Every structure is written in C-alpha cells, then in structure tokens.
Amino acid sequence: MASISFRYILLLILLAPLSVHLADRVRVLSLAYYNAPGRMPQHANFSSYDVKFRHEIRSCEDVLLLESRRVALLACDAGRETWNTVMGFFPAGLGVDANAELYAYHYDEPDANALKRIDIVGLDSELRTIGFDFDEASGTLLVTNHPHQGGPSIEQFRLDLDTLTATHVRTISHPLINIPNSIAMRGPTQFFVTNNHRFTPARNRLLWFLETYLAPPLATVVHVSVLPSGELDVAVVAHQAYPNGAALFSNKSTVAVSSTNQRLVYIYALEEETGSSASVHPKLRLQNTIRDLPFLPDNLAVTEDDALLMAGHPHLPSLEPFCQSRYICNRPEILAQRGDEAAKMCQETRAASWASEWTADGGLRHIYAGWDYGTSASVVRRREHGVGIVAGLYEKGILVWRD
C-alpha cells in the first residue's frame, strides 16, 4: 500500500509541471474563441483615426518615432507576401520581390507631402526587413535582414535625416544572431537582438511548428557590443519562448521583451558588472511580467513618459489565412488569374488588430482593437503631439490616430 501511495505521489510530482504547461497553452489558444469575429471587444480610445497611404505602402511591420523632428520612420516590405521566414510562408514559383524600403512620415505635414522614401545607397544585396532601430545622436541605423540567400544578418546604415539618405556601412552577422527579429539600441556600439525561434520553417518545419505551439524556451535574446576594432562581442543574455519585440526604457537599464506564443511581456533589469574583469554584457534579471494580454504581442515601443506600447495579434485563426492570401489579393496579375472565387475571398478575408499601453502604476490600457485595420505589429505614440500610429504586418497603409 505504501509502495502504491509513493508511486502515486511520484506520478503527481512528475505530471504537475506538464499540467501547468498545458494549462498555459490552453490559455493562449483560448484567444481563438474569445477574439473571434463578432465576439472580440472593440476599442478606439482616441478622438479620430484614418488609414493613410493605402496605395503607397504596405506590409510596414516596424515603426519608430523621432519626436524632436515630428517624424516616424517606417520599414515596409511587400516582399513579405512571398517570403516570410518567421511565419513560414513561401509561395512557390513567384521569384524574388523588389527590396524592402524605408520611409519617413512627417506627421504634421499635409498628406500630399508627408510620406517620403528614404534613399538606400551602397547596399548591393537583397533587403528583407523585419525590425530596425535608430540611434539619432550618431545617425546609426540597424535593420534586420532575411534574404533568400546567404542567411540572416543585420545591415548597418548611416542615416542622414536632412537628405533622407541611408548609406550602407556594413553587414553584421554572427552565429548567435541566427534569426534576428527586433533590435533595441543602447547607443551606436551596443544593442540587443531577439532571435524569435531556435528552428526555422525553411530548414525544419516540424521542429519550428512544435517550438511555436509548445513554447519551450529555446530561442534567445543576445547582446552585441561592437569593439573599437570593429569586431563583435556577442553573448546570449536570456532564453525565451518566441522572443519578438524588444524596447529599452528611458533609463537604458530596463528592457522589455515580448514572448509572442506565451501571450506576455517580460521586463528585465540590466545589471552591469564592475571591475577589471567585468563583462561588456549586462546580466538580465527578471523584474516584472505582464501577463494575460488579450493578444499575442509583437513589437514594443516606449513613450516619452515611459509607458510601454505593444501591438499584436488577437485572433490567430484569422491572421494566418489573411497573411497567406496577400500575395494573391495585392497583386492584380495573380488575382486576375484566380477568377471570381479568389476575388470574393479577398473581399471577405479579414484580420484583427490590438494595441495597448502599460505602466507600472496604471496597468494595461487599450488603445485600439478592431477589424478595420488588421495585422497590427507595431504601435507608437507622442502624447504631447496628439498623434499615434499603428503599423500592420500585412496591411496597406498605416493607421494614424489623433487626440
């Protein structure tokens, strides 16, 4: 009898972590029910909004706000419709699209003059963007790149905001920067990079699928230090499940990293070592966790008053067919070949967006949630200027709100 009781207790001890993990997976997947069309809450906590530049730009995953110049920088890649290394969409037989582009949106100017393309000079390779960051003091712009050939990298540019010219400086690559997604710069020579997965869908789709849906902490956050010689000193500073967006708070000693497939955001304190043998890489100590977000968080940003902005995807069953259909719906030559059924599909397929802000004192506040503008991947805001922007992973244009 005692032996049976011991085995029973041992079984419970072994099963307890599994049951907790399964409960967590159910909590994440429950968004498919609670945020289904007709059931998802709607939010629009601003005075007015408009979707701008639908015919000029699309698939602008990341956006940065330069408050001093009243400018938003955008990284837009229509080629994501045929080459998405994060979500694993690779429609066959379509070739390689034109390079991704960078834009400056002057949000206080009339729309006719507000959007300007940034000239990219000296880059001789393919450019497929995901995330980027900019150190305004030095003019250093870092852009993640996932080309068809050669493996992922980070492209370094010198960005002149007066002439809107980005001059390529060099390509940064390292074995620890294996699937770069988001960049958070501490200055021109130090930055964090999230690697969103351990496995890629292009190399091993089964392991990538299991990693995405089972959420083991196999992916990494790395810290990069550029030495005076120009060499890289790179170290893993955290392991996470699906680390996606990253953003530094104004003190530069706290960093937030979203975990997309865990429906939460981690906030880490950066602890610097001292002494002659100190590492150039800070240690990350978990300080706070923002749990039970009503969406799967993508990119992060921090406002001038240290509110954490986050945008993401509230309904995965709608997101995937929307993303997979854009190479048909956004390309007239392909849509014309698919007939009336495809045209109807393009009219009916929608995706949702959700953007929120969080503060330690006030908690979570929702800014926008709805189906009018889909696939939200980034949100930025300047409260003093009464303006905010949501950028969609696969949407046409950008959503601009006013207060």
Side-chain angles (χ1 to χ4, degrees):
M1 187 65 123
S3 176
I4 295 175
S5 299
F6 176 76
R7 286 199 297 268
Y8 180 70
I9 293 172
L10 182 61
L11 180 63
L12 288 178
I13 292 173
L14 294 174
L15 289 178
L18 178 61
S19 63
V20 171
H21 184 74
L22 290 176
D24 178 70
R25 294 294 85 211
V26 170
R27 180 181 60 83
V28 171
L29 295 175
S30 67
L31 293 180
Y33 172 81
Y34 291 110
N35 288 337
R39 192 179 291 119
M40 189 182 88
Q42 309 285 298
H43 297 281
N45 291 314
F46 33 68
S47 300
S48 62
Y49 77 94
D50 188 19
V51 179
K52 299 181 180 293
F53 315 117
R54 283 189 181 273
H55 301 293
E56 289 82 11
I57 54 176
R58 67 179 191 264
S59 299
C60 303
E61 178 171 354
D62 208 356
V63 56
L64 299 172
L65 207 60
L66 306 181
E67 295 94 340
S68 62
R69 291 178 174 256
R70 297 178 181 252
V71 167
L73 301 179
L74 303 166
C76 306
D77 185 9
R80 188 174 301 116
E81 297 163 357
T82 61
W83 185 255
N84 187 324
T85 58
V86 178
M87 300 178 71
F89 300 157
F90 309 111
L94 296 178
V96 178
D97 284 293
N99 273 2
E101 293 191 311
L102 305 175
Y103 291 88
Y105 167 46
H106 297 75
Y107 52 81
D108 277 352
E109 294 186 12
D111 285 355
N113 304 316
L115 185 68
K116 297 179 174 63
R117 188 174 64 84
I118 296 172
D119 289 327
I120 297 176
V121 177
L123 180 68
D124 298 325
S125 63
E126 183 186 3
L127 182 62
R128 303 265 73 92
T129 61
I130 298 183
F132 71 117
D133 203 5
F134 179 55
D135 180 64
E136 190 171 357
S138 65
T140 303
L141 175 70
L142 299 179
V143 183
T144 58
N145 188 14
H146 289 246
H148 285 66
Q149 304 293 330
S153 62
I154 295 173
E155 306 298 342
Q156 180 179 336
F157 297 91
R158 164 72 183 176
L159 176 58
D160 188 325
L161 291 170
D162 294 322
T163 63
L164 293 182
T165 302
T167 303
H168 189 247
V169 176
R170 67 170 177 166
T171 296
I172 297 173
S173 59
H174 190 276
L176 293 179
I177 306 175
N178 60 315
I179 315 177
N181 191 303
S182 182
I183 301 171
M185 300 180 67
R186 300 184 81 191
T189 61
Q190 285 195 48
F191 54 94
F192 292 96
V193 182
T194 60
N195 292 301
N196 57 73
H197 279 76
R198 168 65 177 83
F199 302 102
T200 66
R203 293 187 176 182
N204 195 317
R205 196 170 191 88
L206 175 60
L207 291 179
W208 165 82
F209 178 86
L210 293 174
E211 182 184 356
T212 299
Y213 286 93
L214 296 182
L218 299 179
T220 59
V221 181
V222 301
H223 180 261
V224 181
S225 179
V226 183
L227 303 178
S229 64
E231 295 183 63
L232 302 178
D233 190 344
V234 185
V236 173
V237 292
H239 287 86
Q240 270 190 215
Y242 207 148
N244 196 330
L248 283 158
F249 287 83
S250 61
N251 58 16
K252 300 295 184 182
S253 62
T254 310
V255 64
V257 181
S258 63
S259 178
T260 298
N261 62 357
Q262 288 189 299
R263 195 178 149 189
L264 52 80
V265 174
Y266 294 110
I267 298 178
Y268 297 99
L270 308 183
E271 297 181 342
E272 310 283 356
E273 293 186 4
T274 58
S276 58
S277 61
S279 170
V280 297
H281 307 290
K283 292 184 178 180
L284 269 60
R285 177 177 56 82
L286 185 61
Q287 189 177 66
N288 204 343
T289 304
I290 306 170
R291 298 184 180 276
D292 292 326
L293 294 171
F295 54 91
L296 305 180
D298 200 317
N299 286 323
L300 306 175
V302 174
T303 68
E304 73 279 6
D305 50 358
D306 264 351
L308 181 66
L309 298 176
M310 56 196 86
H313 312 290
H315 192 247
L316 194 60
S318 298
L319 173 69
E320 291 192 353
F322 184 88
C323 298
Q324 290 174 348
S325 65
R326 293 308 93 186
Y327 82 95
I328 298 172
C329 302
N330 290 340
R331 300 168 190 241
E333 69 281 5
I334 297 179
L335 183 59
Q337 297 172 2
R338 301 297 179 99
D340 294 340
E341 186 174 339
K344 181 181 179 183
M345 177 271 295
C346 291
Q347 290 178 349
E348 296 177 350
T349 304
R350 297 191 302 162
S353 287
W354 203 307
S356 300
E357 72 173 16
W358 175 90
T359 59
D361 295 332
L364 197 64
R365 173 183 173 270
H366 302 309
I367 299 171
Y368 174 78
W371 296 79
D372 293 340
Y373 182 86
T375 70
S376 56
S378 297
V379 56
V380 293
R381 186 208 71 207
R382 177 65 172 174
R383 195 187 304 276
E384 181 183 345
H385 299 166
V387 65
I389 300 168
V390 176
L393 179 69
Y394 275 89
E395 262 291 7
K396 292 181 177 179
I398 54 175
L399 185 151
V400 181
W401 83 78
R402 302 284 179 175
D403 285 320

